[in-house]
């Protein structure tokens, strides 16, 4: 029998890789994980975690403003970007230590360096060869900036988390969740923020009402939203830049950030030579068991470019490990994955949009409410909330819930459980509300639109 150094070799210690390695080790497999940059991957270092910390930081401006309506006199407030970034970095260092300890305690061998595949069972890191029965590629993705004159003047989300100082003004290219989240953060910090998107609305793929509502809220909060346009070139002008748009407009700005897409990290791994197939965007092709076109090599998470979210990468890792070492398979259900956008106000969404539901079912009922969150009454903050529910009339099943408003991201998790459990509108209606909350609106939706 062939003797391998390891049962499983994981490339990439991000969300998916760490979960895969720890779980496999828990089943008694001999596991190694290679990481070239930072433990925790995108989510911990340049994604979900630092992003949410910046969102919290940026919300204090509104909180201070709101305080007066509740009888508080708040002294002059100032904001120090450097101390926020230093504190954020410290928290991430703490998480690095937590992940390192967890892996070590699980018995996973951590190998630092860039990993490449040599053959179907061999990985090489810094010239050292490691053989493994199975190899998992969990190398994630990387921001991509389109080729154009002045591309060298751009930054991406990666750099935004480490800026020495905030710019006075910024142009953000993109209309997806990373673009709108950063626009919200920077605008709240007082940066003169322009969002430049080539589509006719922000957040493609989200429910149309949510897209309209969020677009208007962002404009109302002071973001300069430019739709149906794009940057064609960036010129440097003394200490600043000029972003030249395709419609002839020119915007003077301190910084240009691109959030127009991410590319799977598949280049340089030696995949093509081994016969591991990629799609046109560089994503690794896999079957339902996360197996690539080379049977001993698996791939999961963002490098497969399907649903690029941390909880999905975690679930895929667990499904793969239970397939390889467990006694029963735990396949990932890709339907009804809840998701949030941490823009201001938050978006929380699960299930079908109205348009998707109308394509799938002939009889759809829509329930909608717009309201002023209670906190905004005394605060004087003119920010509304929206809740929308999509119901199939013939079965009474709730197939989609979409929210914009304070705590939408927190509320939607419970709604995802209800939808996955097959809750009907009647179940929502017979559920007693929690009063006074925004979430109670979900059980008091009476009027069909
Ligand atoms: P990653 O976490 O990217 O990990 C891949 C790891 O592999 C990296 O550490 C990398 O250094 C390493 N690696 C790559 N190549 C090699 C090699 N050859 N050798 C050794 N190591 C290698 N998701 C959410 O669910 N919620 C959010 O709020 C959210 N916010 C986000 C905000 C931003 C700005 C971004 C960019 C992403 C966000 N995401 C969010 C997405 C989430 O971060 C990813 O879906 C998740 O990190 C994917 O995990 P992964 O394991 O596939 O890859």
């Amino acid at each position: 029998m062939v003797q391998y150094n390891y049962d499983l070799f994981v490339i990439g210690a991000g969300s998916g890789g760490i979960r895969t390695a720890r779980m496999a080790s828990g089943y008694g497999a001999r596991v190694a994980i290679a990481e070239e940059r930072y433990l925790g991957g995108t989510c911990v270092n340049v994604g979900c975690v630092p992003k949410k910390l910046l969102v919290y930081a940026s919300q204090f401006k509104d909180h201070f403003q709101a305080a007066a309506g509740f009888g508080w006199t708040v002294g002059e407030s100032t904001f120090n970007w450097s101390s926020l970034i230093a504190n954020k970095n410290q928290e991430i260092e703490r998480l690095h230590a937590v992940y390192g300890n967890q892996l070590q305690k699980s018995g996973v061998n951590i190998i630092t360096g860039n990993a490449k595949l040599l053959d179907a069972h061999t990985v090489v890191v810094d010239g050292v060869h490691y053989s493994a029965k199975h190899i998992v590629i969990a190398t994630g993705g990387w921001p991509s900036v389109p080729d154009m004159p002045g591309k060298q003047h751009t930054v991406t989300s990666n750099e935004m988390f480490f800026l020495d100082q905030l710019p006075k003004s910024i142009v953000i290219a993109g209309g997806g969740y990373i673009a709108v989240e950063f626009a919200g953060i920077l605008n709240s910090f007082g940066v003169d923020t322009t969002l430049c998107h080539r589509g006719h609305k922000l957040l493609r793929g989200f429910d149309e009402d949510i897209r309209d509502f969020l677009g208007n809220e962002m404009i109302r909060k002071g973001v300069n939203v430019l739709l149906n346009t794009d940057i064609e070139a960036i010129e440097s002008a003394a200490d600043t830049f000029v972003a030249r748009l395709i419609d002839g407009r020119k915007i003077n700005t301190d910084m240009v950030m691109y959030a127009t897409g991410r590319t799977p990290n598949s280049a340089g791994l030696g995949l093509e030579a081994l016969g591991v197939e990629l799609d046109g965007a560089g994503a690794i092709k896999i079957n339902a068991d996360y197996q690539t076109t080379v049977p001993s090599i698996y791939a999961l998470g963002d490098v497969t470019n399907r649903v690029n979210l941390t909880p999905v990468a975690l679930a895929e890792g667990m499904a793969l490990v239970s397939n390889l070492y467990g006694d029963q398979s735990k396949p990932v259900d890709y339907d009804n994955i809840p998701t949030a956008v941490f823009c201001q106000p938050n978006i929380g969404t699960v299930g079908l949009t109205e348009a998707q539901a109308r394509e799938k079912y002939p009889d759809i009922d829509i329930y909608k409410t717009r309201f002023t969150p209670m906190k905004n009454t005394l605060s004087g903050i003119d920010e509304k909330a929206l809740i929308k529910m999509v119901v199939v009339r013939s079965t009474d099943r709730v197939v989609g819930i979409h929210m914009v408003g304070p705590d939408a991201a927190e509320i939607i998790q419970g709604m995802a459980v209800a939808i996955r459990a097959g809750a009907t509108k009647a179940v929502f209606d017979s559920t007693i509300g929690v009063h006074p909350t925004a979430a109670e609106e979900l059980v008091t939706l009476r009027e069909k639109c």
Side-chain angles (χ1 to χ4, degrees), residues 266-402:
S266 59
L269 283 165
L271 298 176
E272 293 87 343
L274 289 184
V276 174
E277 274 181 31
L278 309 177
D279 72 10
I284 299 179
K285 288 190 191 173
I286 49 168
N287 65 17
D289 294 326
Y290 306 100
Q291 198 169 33
T292 69
T293 40
V294 174
S296 59
I297 302 177
Y298 295 80
L300 52 82
D302 283 13
V303 75
T304 63
N305 198 22
R306 296 164 340 143
V307 184
N308 296 339
L309 293 171
T310 280
V312 175
L314 300 179
E316 291 179 346
M318 292 191 286
L320 171 59
V321 169
S322 78
N323 274 349
L324 289 177
Y325 307 109
D327 45 14
Q328 63 189 46
S329 102
K330 292 184 185 132
V332 179
D333 182 351
Y334 291 90
D335 285 338
N336 296 319
I337 293 174
T339 181
V341 182
F342 295 95
C343 45
Q344 302 178 27
N346 276 193
I347 294 175
T349 178
V350 59
L352 302 180
T353 64
E354 179 177 346
Q356 289 166 336
R358 288 197 187 285
E359 255 179 43
K360 194 164 175 191
Y361 303 99
D363 53 340
I364 290 298
D365 285 336
I366 300 295
Y367 296 82
K368 242 190 286 190
T369 177
R370 273 165 208 267
F371 57 97
T372 303
M374 196 170 174
K375 189 179 169 192
N376 293 355
T377 53
L378 296 195
S379 70
I381 291 178
D382 180 26
E383 183 184 283
K384 300 273 185 287
L386 170 74
I387 289 181
K388 178 170 179 180
M389 186 180 274
V390 184
V391 179
V392 179
R393 194 178 314 133
S394 51
T395 58
D396 201 36
R397 283 277 295 271
V398 178
V399 292
I401 296 179
H402 311 280

Side-chain angles (χ1 to χ4, degrees), residues 12 14-16 35-36 41-42 48 51 115 140 177 262 302 308-311:
S15 308
E35 172 54 50
E36 67 176 354
T42 303
C48 336
K51 184 260 313 271
Y177 82 93
R262 293 176 61 80
D302 283 13
N308 296 339
L309 293 171
T310 280

